[in-house]
């Protein structure tokens, strides 16, 4: 069953982006995954994780970019979401070059 990004809710999109952040350094830790899964119900997390794992990095960025265009985020929502992104990046007390690159890319997509 294929899922189109344009059908995602804000919550689904945010989970997908946070999974991408956890995977930025190619090491998804249990702490990162627990942090993300604690923000949503199990069904939503499992659905988005399954979609995420089936996508290439290029496809992930395309889906995120297309879906952002269909959502209306307020400045406050984006600020809170950016904070969640950085929590995932810094959960292992490191901010690697690959995480910095993804952070910059997401910054360009989100704003």
């Amino acid at each position: 069953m294929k899922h189109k990004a344009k059908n995602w809710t804000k919550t689904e999109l945010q989970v997908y982006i946070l999974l991408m952040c956890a995977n930025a350094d190619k090491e998804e830790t249990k702490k990162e995954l627990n942090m993300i899964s604690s923000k949503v119900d199990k069904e939503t997390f499992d659905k988005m994780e399954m979609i995420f794992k089936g996508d290439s990095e290029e496809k992930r960025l395309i889906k995120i970019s297309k879906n952002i265009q269909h959502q209306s985020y307020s400045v406050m929502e984006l600020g809170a979401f950016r904070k969640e992104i950085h929590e995932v990046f810094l959960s292992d007390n490191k901010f690697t070059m690959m995480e910095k690159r993804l952070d910059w890319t997401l910054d360009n997509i989100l704003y």
Side-chain angles (χ1 to χ4, degrees):
M1 178 173 170
K2 287 195 171 194
H3 297 276
K4 295 183 180 179
K6 67 181 178 180
N7 296 330
W8 291 350
T9 65
K10 282 183 180 181
T11 301
E12 290 169 335
L13 175 60
Q14 287 175 278
V15 168
Y16 191 85
I17 291 171
L18 292 176
L19 286 167
M20 191 165 184
C21 293
N23 185 262
D25 58 4
K26 308 298 182 222
E27 295 180 32
E28 296 170 8
T29 67
K30 189 169 182 77
K31 184 176 181 180
E32 289 170 330
L33 295 177
N34 286 340
M35 184 184 303
I36 298 165
S37 66
S38 72
K39 297 177 184 300
V40 295
D41 60 272
K42 182 174 176 19
E43 183 180 326
T44 301
F45 178 81
D46 291 345
K47 172 186 168 185
M48 298 315 293
E49 185 179 39
M50 181 184 73
I51 295 168
F52 176 82
K53 287 185 176 188
D55 292 341
S56 66
E57 184 175 349
E58 181 180 356
K59 195 170 193 176
R60 292 170 185 163
L61 291 170
I62 290 168
K63 283 184 175 184
I64 290 168
S65 183
K66 284 183 178 179
N67 201 299
I68 286 292
Q69 295 172 17
H70 291 40
Q71 302 293 341
S72 297
Y73 283 97
S74 70
V75 173
M76 295 295 286
E77 285 176 310
L78 284 174
F81 186 40
R82 294 294 293 152
K83 184 178 178 191
E84 289 179 354
I85 288 171
H86 285 133
E87 286 174 3
V88 172
F89 282 144
L90 299 174
S91 66
D92 60 0
N93 297 319
K94 293 182 267 178
F95 195 39
T96 66
M97 184 59 85
M98 290 171 20
E99 289 170 329
K100 288 177 187 176
R101 183 181 69 90
L102 178 58
D103 186 49
W104 179 83
T105 301
L106 288 174
D107 213 25
N108 284 317
I109 293 172
L110 293 173
Y111 296 99

